[in-house]
Amino acid sequence: MKRLWSVLTVIALAAATTACSESGGGGGSSTPGVTDTDILIGTHMPLTGPAAAGYSKIAPASKAYFDYVNANGGVHGRKITYKIMDDTYNPATTQQVVRELVLQDKVFAVLNGLGTPTHTGVLDFLKTNRVPDLFVASGSRSWNQPDKYPGTFGFNVDYTVEGKILATHVKETQAGKKVCFLGQDDDFGQDSLAGIEKVLGPVAAKQSYVTSNPNVGPQMGALKQAGCQVVMLATVPGFTALSIGTAAKIGFKPQFVVSQVGADLGTLTKSLGAAAPLTEGLISANYLPLATDTANPWIQLFTKVNTQYNAGAELDNNAVYGMSVAYLFVQSLQAAGKDLTRDGLIAAVEKGGFQGPGLVPVRFAKGDHSGYAGEQLSKVEGGKQIYFGTPFTTDDDAGAVTAYTTAPVAPPQNGIPAAS
């Protein structure tokens, strides 16, 4: 009988230990995905499929920066392992791979999951499992719901904020012209259009597309028929290229003004091939240093990391984005401290105050989980994407679009954020 009680006691203790380890409480090995020497995180990315152009470069660039940090001692003595899962930009696949990351791999956090339609479907699952959901690769306003989704934080500029900034430029430089819109048939397109119309009022004509149908001929034809002189695009890179190329084929030559998420010139050039000169004059905006600005100290740092740890990949704006995400995540880990917990990480991000490569600040606070606060306008001139003017910030409501004049900070000498 004593032996039976002894066995039952051992079983009970083992069950209690398992429950504790899966609860996310405590530090070190009692937190999922965290040991004394390692931190396991994961992501879902379109490595293949309709959004792979350009976007497939993001996560490998983040991993390259983590490898650089790991080679220099890691964060509080822990090395970061980044598991990248291909979801093909298919929401059903996203749910499968995120469940695998959380339930099988037991990742500490999900970092920079990409896509509005894809990531929307895993918000409730990540919340239920209390998994930090950091720096989503999309500007949907859905990520900024701290009361409903306390563990989710954005990274990209809110699409409505971006729409307001781009529309303000159009209002100032294209006065009296017929402005039209083509956007993705989800929150990406809807939020962008909302920002545009806050500034310009109703657009003259609007069209939408779905990523499963790579034909925008009817949409471009309708915009041409409507007499559009300026076409604002809320498109992923493949559909930006399709829109520009299709318009040229039908003799339609509006001024294109494009969301940052679909405007990386290197990606567009590759997609358009011989038709790449059609990008000349394209207007967009961004909130990170451009890969071609070789005098920028952040680009110098990222070039060094890219050369050493990213298997010879080209440093384009997608790679800059991926490394910027990774830098912010390392800042967050440093701020969370050595006794790493999920709640501690979320609290550290909400405390905010992070400075990095961004041209404008990130907004993080207890009541604000949105990402970057604004953008600077860019234009393609002579086959190169360059900034002009100053960065601007605004809100996603009726606030004014205002210039932001504080200079960006330089990176630390060793390229790794210090513990706070």
Side-chain angles (χ1 to χ4, degrees):
M1 197 64 163
K2 282 183 181 178
R3 190 167 182 178
L4 176 60
W5 278 113
S6 177
V7 170
L8 290 173
T9 301
V10 169
I11 292 171
L13 285 170
T17 301
T18 301
C20 177
S21 69
E22 293 181 355
S23 70
S29 61
S30 64
T31 296
V34 177
T35 70
D36 289 339
T37 57
D38 295 281
I39 304 166
L40 175 63
I41 60 174
T43 194
H44 64 89
M45 281 274 164
L47 303 180
T48 59
Y55 292 170
S56 61
K57 298 179 179 181
I58 292 172
S62 297
K63 183 180 182 300
Y65 183 77
F66 292 144
D67 289 345
Y68 172 74
V69 171
N70 292 344
N72 286 276
V75 183
H76 297 296
R78 297 185 180 100
K79 294 187 176 180
I80 301 167
T81 300
Y82 194 31
K83 185 166 184 181
I84 304 163
M85 301 290 281
D86 183 12
D87 67 0
T88 74
Y89 206 65
N90 180 321
T93 307
T94 306
Q95 293 190 39
Q96 293 172 13
V97 301
V98 170
R99 288 182 69 85
E100 180 180 327
L101 287 169
V102 173
L103 301 179
Q104 290 180 220
D105 298 317
K106 300 191 184 304
V107 294
F108 169 60
V110 168
L111 176 68
N112 203 222
L114 188 144
T116 302
T118 48
H119 200 76
T120 299
V122 297
L123 285 176
D124 289 316
F125 173 76
L126 293 173
K127 175 186 176 180
T128 299
N129 286 274
R130 299 184 63 203
V131 179
D133 177 24
L134 299 189
F135 316 146
V136 183
S138 154
S140 170
R141 288 183 286 180
S142 298
W143 325 137
N144 184 24
Q145 300 184 75
D147 292 336
K148 187 175 182 182
Y149 297 112
T152 295
F153 295 80
F155 183 83
N156 296 29
V157 173
D158 172 330
Y159 293 134
T160 301
V161 166
E162 178 180 63
K164 287 175 65 179
I165 292 170
L166 292 174
T168 298
H169 174 74
V170 168
K171 185 175 182 178
E172 292 172 351
T173 62
Q174 307 286 332
K177 293 190 177 176
K178 190 172 279 192
V179 181
C180 303
F181 175 80
L182 170 67
Q184 194 159 293
D185 190 20
D186 56 25
D187 286 352
F188 173 23
Q190 292 155 18
D191 288 357
S192 296
L193 181 60
I196 290 166
E197 294 191 330
K198 282 179 188 294
V199 174
L200 297 177
V203 295
K206 52 191 170 189
Q207 294 287 319
S208 64
Y209 72 91
V210 292
T211 56
S212 58
N213 181 10
N215 175 20
V216 294
Q219 293 93 324
M220 285 294 115
L223 295 178
K224 180 184 179 184
Q225 188 68 30
C228 302
Q229 296 165 292
V230 178
V231 174
M232 304 188 74
L233 299 178
T235 45
V236 295
F239 280 82
T240 305
L242 279 170
S243 299
I244 293 171
T246 302
K249 285 179 182 176
I250 63 173
F252 179 36
K253 298 179 180 178
Q255 170 66 62
F256 283 105
V257 179
V258 188
S259 166
Q260 174 266 333
V261 301
D264 173 60
L265 183 58
T267 304
L268 297 179
T269 297
K270 287 185 176 66
S271 296
L272 286 164
L278 294 172
T279 59
E280 191 72 10
L282 182 146
I283 298 291
S284 185
N286 204 326
Y287 47 91
L288 297 171
L290 298 176
T292 51
D293 183 6
T294 54
N296 184 289
W298 289 97
I299 297 302
Q300 292 170 357
L301 167 64
F302 293 156
T303 298
K304 172 186 170 184
V305 173
N306 195 63
T307 301
Q308 292 179 338
Y309 295 99
N310 202 14
E314 176 191 5
L315 185 82
D316 64 5
N317 291 335
N318 296 293
V320 171
Y321 176 98
M323 291 195 195
S324 299
V325 168
Y327 185 90
L328 181 59
F329 184 69
V330 171
Q331 282 184 303
S332 305
L333 290 176
Q334 294 279 36
K338 187 167 179 62
D339 184 17
L340 184 59
T341 67
R342 287 170 163 175
D343 288 344
L345 179 66
I346 290 167
V349 178
E350 285 189 330
K351 189 175 179 182
F354 298 124
Q355 291 185 299
L359 309 179
V360 295
V362 286
R363 297 190 191 275
F364 302 138
K366 196 162 185 64
D368 191 341
H369 286 194
S370 61
Y372 274 98
E375 292 180 313
Q376 185 167 355
L377 292 155
S378 69
K379 186 175 185 178
V380 177
E381 289 184 348
K384 189 173 180 181
Q385 205 157 29
I386 57 173
Y387 280 129
F388 63 91
T390 63
F392 293 93
T393 61
T394 188
D395 59 20
D396 60 8
D397 199 2
V401 173
T402 57
Y404 181 80
T405 56
T406 303
V409 300
Q413 191 169 1
N414 67 353
I416 299 170
S420 56

